[in-house]
């Protein structure tokens, strides 16, 4: 049984905005992941099936690893087609922001929010939404924006009308944000949502293979190299850092998406409570963190790297070298020791074996 967790007023207002709109633009955060694309494309397919003109505009190019998603070929990256994307946003009468809580996460595309006359809606599951929309549907308890989007669709009475392509995209977002239902599954009826999506005929095996079980030879070598040569363990802090320099990335012909999952592999280290992956990209160092239990990596990402995210999965950026980005975290590890020890104690009480 799928519970009714949403405020009815929000669902009513959203349904009314959809009804009044004919040109809809859906957008998400920069460097879109499975949940960002799953939610925007999923809603796009639903809106198209209702006769709306709906387009997904992303701040930058989506990763090729998600090209199996139905509708991927229709995505308009703002970085590649700025004028076309601006025209779409200018003409839109509804703008739906999925999977991000503040305009900072849109990079250069945030400028388009100033030119638009569209009604703006946010559908998101990050803490601390910064209120840049007319209708804010924000549920940080949800596993994913796709879970939230499904609940909205179900509450609007549109489950039967949900096209298979939409269901496939939503399922992909739930699977990627929960690592196939292994983390972040607070609401037990998420399993009922998965059943409801699978009943539509969603190709679950394809989604798993494409999102979590496929890499290029270069990507396999790069992530193996990182774990072999670029993993630093700080046992006394129950922390680890895995990093890649710009030279490492070019040596293995790095392409977007190649390091997906690497940070989770580092978290497999027994006894470790939190990990960071730092990648020296051309303009900044991308920081990605993961943790166990209640250890808040979103707090570290906010305090040290101007970022945020969820308690167990967060990210940020650093302007400078990867060595300096690492030093910053190492220098602050002792600040988080009290919290780390508390989390370690709780996990031990729950039966986890931490050496
Ligand atoms: P990932 O490590 O997979 O890139 O991101 C994990 C989580 O952290 C996602 O929920 C994502 O939205 C959030 N996140 C990643 N990078 C950033 C960032 O630079 N700023 C903020 N505010 N959140 C981020
Ligand atoms: Mn998400």
């Amino acid at each position: 049984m799928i519970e009714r967790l949403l405020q009815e007023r929000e669902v009513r207002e959203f349904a009314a905005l959809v009804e009044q709109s004919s040109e809809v633009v859906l957008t998400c955060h920069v460097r879109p992941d499975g949940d960002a694309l799953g939610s925007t494309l999923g809603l796009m397919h639903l809106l198209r099936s209702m006769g709306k003109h709906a387009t997904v505009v992303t701040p930058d190019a989506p990763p090729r690893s998600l090209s199996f998603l139905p509708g991927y070929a229709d995505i308009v990256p703002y970085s590649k087609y700025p004028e076309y994307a601006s025209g779409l946003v200018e003409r839109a009468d509804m703008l739906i922001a999925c999977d991000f809580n503040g305009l900072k996460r849109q990079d250069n595309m945030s400028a388009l929010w100033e030119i638009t006359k569209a009604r703006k809606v946010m559908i998101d599951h990050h803490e601390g939404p910064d209120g840049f929309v007319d209708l804010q549907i924000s549920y940080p308890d949800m596993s994913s924006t796709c879970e939230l989007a499904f609940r909205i669709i179900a509450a609007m009475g549109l489950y039967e009308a949900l096209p298979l392509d939409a269901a496939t995209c939503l399922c992909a977002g739930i699977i990627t944000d929960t690592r196939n239902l292994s983390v972040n599954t607070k609401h037990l009826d998420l399993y009922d949502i998965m059943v409801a999506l699978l009943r539509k005929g969603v190709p679950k095996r394809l989604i798993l293979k494409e999102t979590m079980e496929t890499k290029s030879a270069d990507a396999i070598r790069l992530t193996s190299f990182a774990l072999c040569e670029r993993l630093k363990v700080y046992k006394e802090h129950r922390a680890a850092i895995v990093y890649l320099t710009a030279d490492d990335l070019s040596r293995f012909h790095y392409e977007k998406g190649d390091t997906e999952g690497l940070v989770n592999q580092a978290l497999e280290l027994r006894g470790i409570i939190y990990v960071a992956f730092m990648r020296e990209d051309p303009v900044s160092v991308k920081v990605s963190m993961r943790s166990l239990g209640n250890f808040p990596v979103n707090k570290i990402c906010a305090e040290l790297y101007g970022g945020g995210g969820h308690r167990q999965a967060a990210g940020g950026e650093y302007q400078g070298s990867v060595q300096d980005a690492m030093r910053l975290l190492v220098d602050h590890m002792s600040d988080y020791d009290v919290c780390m020890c508390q989390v370690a104690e709780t996990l031990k009480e729950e039966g986890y074996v931490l050496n």
Side-chain angles (χ1 to χ4, degrees):
M1 238 273 288
I2 295 161
E3 290 172 51
R4 289 182 159 266
L5 300 176
L6 307 182
Q7 285 184 35
E8 279 178 26
R9 176 193 62 80
E10 291 170 345
V11 176
R12 264 200 318 272
E13 282 183 27
F14 181 69
L17 287 176
V18 168
E19 165 107 38
Q20 293 154 16
S21 306
S22 53
E23 298 275 334
V24 184
V25 167
L26 301 120
T27 188
C28 59
H29 56 79
V30 69
R31 285 185 290 268
D33 57 9
D35 192 31
L37 290 191
S39 53
T40 47
L41 288 173
L43 288 166
M44 177 195 82
H45 288 299
L46 174 72
L47 292 168
R48 286 185 179 176
S49 75
M50 297 165 79
K52 314 285 175 187
H53 186 272
T55 317
V56 172
V57 178
T58 52
D60 56 345
R64 261 207 318 200
S65 56
L66 294 170
S67 63
F68 75 99
L69 287 174
Y72 177 93
D74 294 356
I75 294 172
V76 180
Y78 172 67
S79 57
K80 205 168 165 196
Y81 306 106
E83 280 168 24
Y84 183 54
S86 308
L88 286 168
V89 172
E90 258 176 84
R91 281 193 301 281
D93 35 31
M94 185 176 185
L95 192 51
I96 307 180
C98 293
D99 203 36
F100 67 100
N101 59 0
L103 286 184
K104 205 173 140 232
R105 297 279 286 139
Q106 281 238 300
D107 260 11
N108 296 337
M109 200 184 141
S110 62
L112 296 192
W113 287 76
E114 278 155 33
I115 60 165
T116 184
K117 292 182 286 296
R119 266 89 36 117
K120 300 171 214 127
V121 181
M122 172 206 272
I123 300 179
D124 182 45
H125 71 134
H126 291 90
E127 279 170 27
D130 78 4
F132 59 97
V133 290
D134 305 310
L135 172 60
Q136 181 169 287
I137 308 182
S138 166
Y139 285 81
D141 272 1
M142 303 271 172
S143 67
S144 52
T145 300
C146 284
E147 174 187 343
L148 175 54
F150 180 89
R151 290 184 192 276
I152 295 170
I153 291 164
M156 287 167 75
L158 292 174
Y159 170 72
E160 292 303 331
L162 187 69
L164 173 58
D165 281 350
T168 300
C169 293
L170 296 179
C171 186
I174 294 172
I175 284 182
T176 51
D177 258 26
T178 62
R179 277 196 280 137
N180 198 19
L181 304 183
S182 76
V183 290
N184 221 358
T185 55
K186 186 177 158 96
H187 302 296
L188 278 184
D189 64 342
L190 180 61
Y191 291 88
D192 297 306
I193 291 177
M194 283 296 287
V195 170
L197 290 169
L198 293 173
R199 278 198 210 286
K200 286 265 170 194
V202 162
K204 178 167 135 277
R205 184 91 291 282
L206 168 77
I207 294 172
L208 281 166
K209 178 68 187 149
E210 289 297 327
T211 58
M212 301 175 73
E213 301 170 5
T214 302
K215 277 191 157 88
S216 69
D218 274 332
I220 289 178
R221 292 195 180 101
L222 175 66
T223 49
S224 307
F225 168 83
L227 292 170
C228 235
E229 304 286 337
R230 300 284 186 255
L231 177 67
K232 290 201 178 289
V233 181
Y234 304 88
K235 217 165 170 224
E236 67 280 23
H237 301 292
R238 293 195 181 277
I241 301 178
V242 60
Y243 68 100
L244 286 166
T245 66
D247 284 348
D248 298 337
L249 296 171
S250 69
R251 177 177 163 198
F252 293 96
H253 316 110
Y254 169 76
E255 279 186 32
K256 247 185 197 184
D258 281 357
T259 54
E260 204 61 51
L262 176 57
V263 68
N264 297 313
Q265 282 181 283
L267 193 62
E268 290 174 14
L269 267 165
R270 187 179 298 283
I272 292 305
I273 302 279
Y274 66 103
V275 297
F277 166 52
M278 301 192 185
R279 189 182 62 222
E280 199 170 42
D281 285 349
V283 280
S284 61
V285 176
K286 180 74 193 103
V287 177
S288 190
M289 295 191 70
R290 297 290 185 272
S291 67
L292 302 181
N294 270 331
F295 188 88
V297 281
N298 50 357
K299 184 164 177 273
I300 299 185
C301 286
E303 287 173 358
L304 304 183
Y305 302 109
H310 310 286
R311 200 180 284 258
Q312 292 185 335
E317 281 174 58
Y318 180 83
Q319 303 297 328
S321 69
V322 73
Q323 285 78 15
D324 288 346
M326 290 168 67
R327 197 163 305 122
L328 182 66
L329 177 56
V330 174
D331 286 349
H332 283 85
M333 277 179 184
S334 52
D335 300 349
Y336 304 111
D337 278 351
V338 172
C339 179
M340 177 278 289
C341 289
Q342 284 168 353
V343 172
E345 281 316 305
T346 307
L347 289 172
K348 283 183 194 165
E349 282 163 20
E350 289 171 6
Y352 288 81
V353 181
L354 304 178
N355 289 339

PDB file of all heavy atoms in Angstrom, residues 265-287:
ATOM      1  N   GLN A 265      32.842   2.433  -3.403  1.00  0.00           N
ATOM      2  CA  GLN A 265      33.809   1.341  -3.214  1.00  0.00           C
ATOM      3  C   GLN A 265      34.728   1.648  -2.035  1.00  0.00           C
ATOM      4  O   GLN A 265      35.047   0.768  -1.247  1.00  0.00           O
ATOM      5  CB  GLN A 265      34.634   1.142  -4.485  1.00  0.00           C
ATOM      6  CG  GLN A 265      33.892   0.381  -5.559  1.00  0.00           C
ATOM      7  CD  GLN A 265      34.771   0.191  -6.777  1.00  0.00           C
ATOM      8  OE1 GLN A 265      34.959   1.121  -7.560  1.00  0.00           O
ATOM      9  NE2 GLN A 265      35.300  -1.000  -6.946  1.00  0.00           N
ATOM     10  N   ALA A 266      35.121   2.915  -1.907  1.00  0.00           N
ATOM     11  CA  ALA A 266      35.990   3.286  -0.784  1.00  0.00           C
ATOM     12  C   ALA A 266      35.266   3.076   0.545  1.00  0.00           C
ATOM     13  O   ALA A 266      35.880   2.705   1.551  1.00  0.00           O
ATOM     14  CB  ALA A 266      36.438   4.740  -0.937  1.00  0.00           C
ATOM     15  N   LEU A 267      33.958   3.274   0.531  1.00  0.00           N
ATOM     16  CA  LEU A 267      33.184   3.121   1.772  1.00  0.00           C
ATOM     17  C   LEU A 267      33.062   1.648   2.198  1.00  0.00           C
ATOM     18  O   LEU A 267      32.629   1.348   3.307  1.00  0.00           O
ATOM     19  CB  LEU A 267      31.792   3.757   1.603  1.00  0.00           C
ATOM     20  CG  LEU A 267      30.968   3.972   2.873  1.00  0.00           C
ATOM     21  CD1 LEU A 267      31.670   4.927   3.840  1.00  0.00           C
ATOM     22  CD2 LEU A 267      29.583   4.490   2.548  1.00  0.00           C
ATOM     23  N   GLU A 268      33.476   0.733   1.320  1.00  0.00           N
ATOM     24  CA  GLU A 268      33.441  -0.691   1.695  1.00  0.00           C
ATOM     25  C   GLU A 268      34.531  -1.036   2.712  1.00  0.00           C
ATOM     26  O   GLU A 268      34.497  -2.107   3.317  1.00  0.00           O
ATOM     27  CB  GLU A 268      33.622  -1.568   0.440  1.00  0.00           C
ATOM     28  CG  GLU A 268      32.412  -1.531  -0.484  1.00  0.00           C
ATOM     29  CD  GLU A 268      32.657  -2.275  -1.793  1.00  0.00           C
ATOM     30  OE1 GLU A 268      33.645  -3.034  -1.901  1.00  0.00           O
ATOM     31  OE2 GLU A 268      31.855  -2.072  -2.717  1.00  0.00           O
ATOM     32  N   LEU A 269      35.504  -0.153   2.886  1.00  0.00           N
ATOM     33  CA  LEU A 269      36.600  -0.407   3.831  1.00  0.00           C
ATOM     34  C   LEU A 269      36.064  -0.673   5.236  1.00  0.00           C
ATOM     35  O   LEU A 269      35.356   0.171   5.794  1.00  0.00           O
ATOM     36  CB  LEU A 269      37.464   0.847   3.918  1.00  0.00           C
ATOM     37  CG  LEU A 269      38.666   0.949   3.012  1.00  0.00           C
ATOM     38  CD1 LEU A 269      39.157   2.380   2.976  1.00  0.00           C
ATOM     39  CD2 LEU A 269      39.762   0.033   3.545  1.00  0.00           C
ATOM     40  N   ARG A 270      36.410  -1.812   5.791  1.00  0.00           N
ATOM     41  CA  ARG A 270      35.906  -2.113   7.137  1.00  0.00           C
ATOM     42  C   ARG A 270      36.437  -1.101   8.155  1.00  0.00           C
ATOM     43  O   ARG A 270      37.605  -0.738   8.132  1.00  0.00           O
ATOM     44  CB  ARG A 270      36.288  -3.528   7.567  1.00  0.00           C
ATOM     45  CG  ARG A 270      35.611  -3.852   8.888  1.00  0.00           C
ATOM     46  CD  ARG A 270      35.859  -5.208   9.467  1.00  0.00           C
ATOM     47  NE  ARG A 270      35.429  -6.372   8.717  1.00  0.00           N
ATOM     48  CZ  ARG A 270      34.178  -6.811   8.630  1.00  0.00           C
ATOM     49  NH1 ARG A 270      33.203  -6.129   9.187  1.00  0.00           N
ATOM     50  NH2 ARG A 270      33.914  -7.908   7.966  1.00  0.00           N
ATOM     51  N   GLY A 271      35.551  -0.666   9.029  1.00  0.00           N
ATOM     52  CA  GLY A 271      35.961   0.232  10.105  1.00  0.00           C
ATOM     53  C   GLY A 271      35.873   1.701   9.737  1.00  0.00           C
ATOM     54  O   GLY A 271      36.020   2.568  10.593  1.00  0.00           O
ATOM     55  N   ILE A 272      35.629   1.986   8.472  1.00  0.00           N
ATOM     56  CA  ILE A 272      35.576   3.380   8.019  1.00  0.00           C
ATOM     57  C   ILE A 272      34.145   3.905   8.122  1.00  0.00           C
ATOM     58  O   ILE A 272      33.187   3.202   7.795  1.00  0.00           O
ATOM     59  CB  ILE A 272      36.108   3.464   6.563  1.00  0.00           C
ATOM     60  CG1 ILE A 272      37.600   3.161   6.530  1.00  0.00           C
ATOM     61  CG2 ILE A 272      35.810   4.819   5.926  1.00  0.00           C
ATOM     62  CD1 ILE A 272      38.460   4.009   7.431  1.00  0.00           C
ATOM     63  N   ILE A 273      34.010   5.139   8.595  1.00  0.00           N
ATOM     64  CA  ILE A 273      32.673   5.742   8.755  1.00  0.00           C
ATOM     65  C   ILE A 273      32.371   6.721   7.627  1.00  0.00           C
ATOM     66  O   ILE A 273      31.228   6.888   7.240  1.00  0.00           O
ATOM     67  CB  ILE A 273      32.573   6.501  10.107  1.00  0.00           C
ATOM     68  CG1 ILE A 273      32.861   5.561  11.277  1.00  0.00           C
ATOM     69  CG2 ILE A 273      31.233   7.203  10.264  1.00  0.00           C
ATOM     70  CD1 ILE A 273      31.715   4.700  11.719  1.00  0.00           C
ATOM     71  N   TYR A 274      33.426   7.408   7.127  1.00  0.00           N
ATOM     72  CA  TYR A 274      33.142   8.342   6.021  1.00  0.00           C
ATOM     73  C   TYR A 274      34.317   8.430   5.053  1.00  0.00           C
ATOM     74  O   TYR A 274      35.475   8.224   5.433  1.00  0.00           O
ATOM     75  CB  TYR A 274      32.736   9.729   6.526  1.00  0.00           C
ATOM     76  CG  TYR A 274      33.796  10.516   7.264  1.00  0.00           C
ATOM     77  CD1 TYR A 274      34.476  11.562   6.635  1.00  0.00           C
ATOM     78  CD2 TYR A 274      34.109  10.241   8.589  1.00  0.00           C
ATOM     79  CE1 TYR A 274      35.426  12.319   7.318  1.00  0.00           C
ATOM     80  CE2 TYR A 274      35.063  10.978   9.273  1.00  0.00           C
ATOM     81  CZ  TYR A 274      35.716  12.012   8.636  1.00  0.00           C
ATOM     82  OH  TYR A 274      36.662  12.732   9.317  1.00  0.00           O
ATOM     83  N   VAL A 275      33.968   8.684   3.804  1.00  0.00           N
ATOM     84  CA  VAL A 275      34.990   8.754   2.749  1.00  0.00           C
ATOM     85  C   VAL A 275      34.732   9.955   1.856  1.00  0.00           C
ATOM     86  O   VAL A 275      33.606  10.439   1.741  1.00  0.00           O
ATOM     87  CB  VAL A 275      34.986   7.476   1.864  1.00  0.00           C
ATOM     88  CG1 VAL A 275      35.338   6.255   2.672  1.00  0.00           C
ATOM     89  CG2 VAL A 275      33.646   7.275   1.176  1.00  0.00           C
ATOM     90  N   ALA A 276      35.823  10.409   1.234  1.00  0.00           N
ATOM     91  CA  ALA A 276      35.695  11.484   0.248  1.00  0.00           C
ATOM     92  C   ALA A 276      36.401  11.044  -1.020  1.00  0.00           C
ATOM     93  O   ALA A 276      37.451  10.398  -0.970  1.00  0.00           O
ATOM     94  CB  ALA A 276      36.342  12.762   0.769  1.00  0.00           C
ATOM     95  N   PHE A 277      35.805  11.364  -2.141  1.00  0.00           N
ATOM     96  CA  PHE A 277      36.476  11.192  -3.431  1.00  0.00           C
ATOM     97  C   PHE A 277      36.715  12.587  -3.988  1.00  0.00           C
ATOM     98  O   PHE A 277      35.801  13.421  -4.010  1.00  0.00           O
ATOM     99  CB  PHE A 277      35.611  10.370  -4.389  1.00  0.00           C
ATOM    100  CG  PHE A 277      36.089  10.440  -5.820  1.00  0.00           C
ATOM    101  CD1 PHE A 277      37.411  10.168  -6.142  1.00  0.00           C
ATOM    102  CD2 PHE A 277      35.214  10.790  -6.836  1.00  0.00           C
ATOM    103  CE1 PHE A 277      37.860  10.257  -7.456  1.00  0.00           C
ATOM    104  CE2 PHE A 277      35.650  10.879  -8.157  1.00  0.00           C
ATOM    105  CZ  PHE A 277      36.980  10.614  -8.466  1.00  0.00           C
ATOM    106  N   MET A 278      37.968  12.867  -4.392  1.00  0.00           N
ATOM    107  CA  MET A 278      38.303  14.201  -4.914  1.00  0.00           C
ATOM    108  C   MET A 278      38.899  14.053  -6.302  1.00  0.00           C
ATOM    109  O   MET A 278      39.874  13.325  -6.495  1.00  0.00           O
ATOM    110  CB  MET A 278      39.288  14.890  -3.987  1.00  0.00           C
ATOM    111  CG  MET A 278      38.709  15.022  -2.588  1.00  0.00           C
ATOM    112  SD  MET A 278      39.653  16.101  -1.564  1.00  0.00           S
ATOM    113  CE  MET A 278      38.769  15.870   0.003  1.00  0.00           C
ATOM    114  N   ARG A 279      38.281  14.751  -7.235  1.00  0.00           N
ATOM    115  CA  ARG A 279      38.697  14.640  -8.642  1.00  0.00           C
ATOM    116  C   ARG A 279      39.089  16.025  -9.153  1.00  0.00           C
ATOM    117  O   ARG A 279      38.301  16.965  -9.062  1.00  0.00           O
ATOM    118  CB  ARG A 279      37.528  14.085  -9.466  1.00  0.00           C
ATOM    119  CG  ARG A 279      37.875  13.717 -10.896  1.00  0.00           C
ATOM    120  CD  ARG A 279      36.637  13.233 -11.638  1.00  0.00           C
ATOM    121  NE  ARG A 279      35.655  14.280 -11.709  1.00  0.00           N
ATOM    122  CZ  ARG A 279      34.344  14.111 -11.527  1.00  0.00           C
ATOM    123  NH1 ARG A 279      33.853  12.920 -11.288  1.00  0.00           N
ATOM    124  NH2 ARG A 279      33.522  15.136 -11.594  1.00  0.00           N
ATOM    125  N   GLU A 280      40.329  16.107  -9.681  1.00  0.00           N
ATOM    126  CA  GLU A 280      40.838  17.402 -10.132  1.00  0.00           C
ATOM    127  C   GLU A 280      40.329  17.716 -11.539  1.00  0.00           C
ATOM    128  O   GLU A 280      40.986  17.403 -12.536  1.00  0.00           O
ATOM    129  CB  GLU A 280      42.380  17.377 -10.098  1.00  0.00           C
ATOM    130  CG  GLU A 280      43.023  18.733 -10.095  1.00  0.00           C
ATOM    131  CD  GLU A 280      44.522  18.630  -9.806  1.00  0.00           C
ATOM    132  OE1 GLU A 280      45.200  17.721 -10.347  1.00  0.00           O
ATOM    133  OE2 GLU A 280      45.036  19.445  -9.029  1.00  0.00           O
ATOM    134  N   ASP A 281      39.149  18.309 -11.600  1.00  0.00           N
ATOM    135  CA  ASP A 281      38.547  18.685 -12.889  1.00  0.00           C
ATOM    136  C   ASP A 281      39.203  19.967 -13.402  1.00  0.00           C
ATOM    137  O   ASP A 281      39.904  20.652 -12.656  1.00  0.00           O
ATOM    138  CB  ASP A 281      37.030  18.880 -12.709  1.00  0.00           C
ATOM    139  CG  ASP A 281      36.298  17.547 -12.585  1.00  0.00           C
ATOM    140  OD1 ASP A 281      36.925  16.505 -12.846  1.00  0.00           O
ATOM    141  OD2 ASP A 281      35.103  17.544 -12.223  1.00  0.00           O
ATOM    142  N   PRO A 282      38.954  20.344 -14.672  1.00  0.00           N
ATOM    143  CA  PRO A 282      39.630  21.529 -15.222  1.00  0.00           C
ATOM    144  C   PRO A 282      39.391  22.826 -14.435  1.00  0.00           C
ATOM    145  O   PRO A 282      40.327  23.581 -14.212  1.00  0.00           O
ATOM    146  CB  PRO A 282      39.035  21.639 -16.628  1.00  0.00           C
ATOM    147  CG  PRO A 282      38.618  20.250 -16.970  1.00  0.00           C
ATOM    148  CD  PRO A 282      38.200  19.608 -15.685  1.00  0.00           C
ATOM    149  N   VAL A 283      38.158  23.084 -13.980  1.00  0.00           N
ATOM    150  CA  VAL A 283      37.929  24.365 -13.301  1.00  0.00           C
ATOM    151  C   VAL A 283      38.005  24.293 -11.781  1.00  0.00           C
ATOM    152  O   VAL A 283      38.295  25.287 -11.116  1.00  0.00           O
ATOM    153  CB  VAL A 283      36.560  24.998 -13.691  1.00  0.00           C
ATOM    154  CG1 VAL A 283      36.647  25.692 -15.023  1.00  0.00           C
ATOM    155  CG2 VAL A 283      35.449  23.979 -13.663  1.00  0.00           C
ATOM    156  N   SER A 284      37.746  23.119 -11.229  1.00  0.00           N
ATOM    157  CA  SER A 284      37.783  22.991  -9.765  1.00  0.00           C
ATOM    158  C   SER A 284      37.950  21.521  -9.394  1.00  0.00           C
ATOM    159  O   SER A 284      37.895  20.648 -10.265  1.00  0.00           O
ATOM    160  CB  SER A 284      36.467  23.514  -9.170  1.00  0.00           C
ATOM    161  OG  SER A 284      35.394  22.741  -9.660  1.00  0.00           O
ATOM    162  N   VAL A 285      38.137  21.292  -8.107  1.00  0.00           N
ATOM    163  CA  VAL A 285      38.190  19.904  -7.632  1.00  0.00           C
ATOM    164  C   VAL A 285      36.775  19.515  -7.223  1.00  0.00           C
ATOM    165  O   VAL A 285      36.138  20.204  -6.417  1.00  0.00           O
ATOM    166  CB  VAL A 285      39.142  19.766  -6.425  1.00  0.00           C
ATOM    167  CG1 VAL A 285      39.107  18.347  -5.870  1.00  0.00           C
ATOM    168  CG2 VAL A 285      40.554  20.158  -6.825  1.00  0.00           C
ATOM    169  N   LYS A 286      36.262  18.426  -7.805  1.00  0.00           N
ATOM    170  CA  LYS A 286      34.924  17.953  -7.438  1.00  0.00           C
ATOM    171  C   LYS A 286      35.061  17.022  -6.246  1.00  0.00           C
ATOM    172  O   LYS A 286      35.839  16.062  -6.279  1.00  0.00           O
ATOM    173  CB  LYS A 286      34.300  17.215  -8.632  1.00  0.00           C
ATOM    174  CG  LYS A 286      32.919  16.675  -8.356  1.00  0.00           C
ATOM    175  CD  LYS A 286      31.871  17.779  -8.329  1.00  0.00           C
ATOM    176  CE  LYS A 286      30.549  17.311  -7.760  1.00  0.00           C
ATOM    177  NZ  LYS A 286      30.252  17.721  -6.394  1.00  0.00           N
ATOM    178  N   VAL A 287      34.318  17.323  -5.203  1.00  0.00           N
ATOM    179  CA  VAL A 287      34.378  16.525  -3.978  1.00  0.00           C
ATOM    180  C   VAL A 287      33.069  15.763  -3.835  1.00  0.00           C
ATOM    181  O   VAL A 287      31.987  16.325  -4.020  1.00  0.00           O
ATOM    182  CB  VAL A 287      34.588  17.438  -2.744  1.00  0.00           C
ATOM    183  CG1 VAL A 287      34.589  16.618  -1.457  1.00  0.00           C
ATOM    184  CG2 VAL A 287      35.884  18.227  -2.888  1.00  0.00           C
TER     185      VAL A 287
END
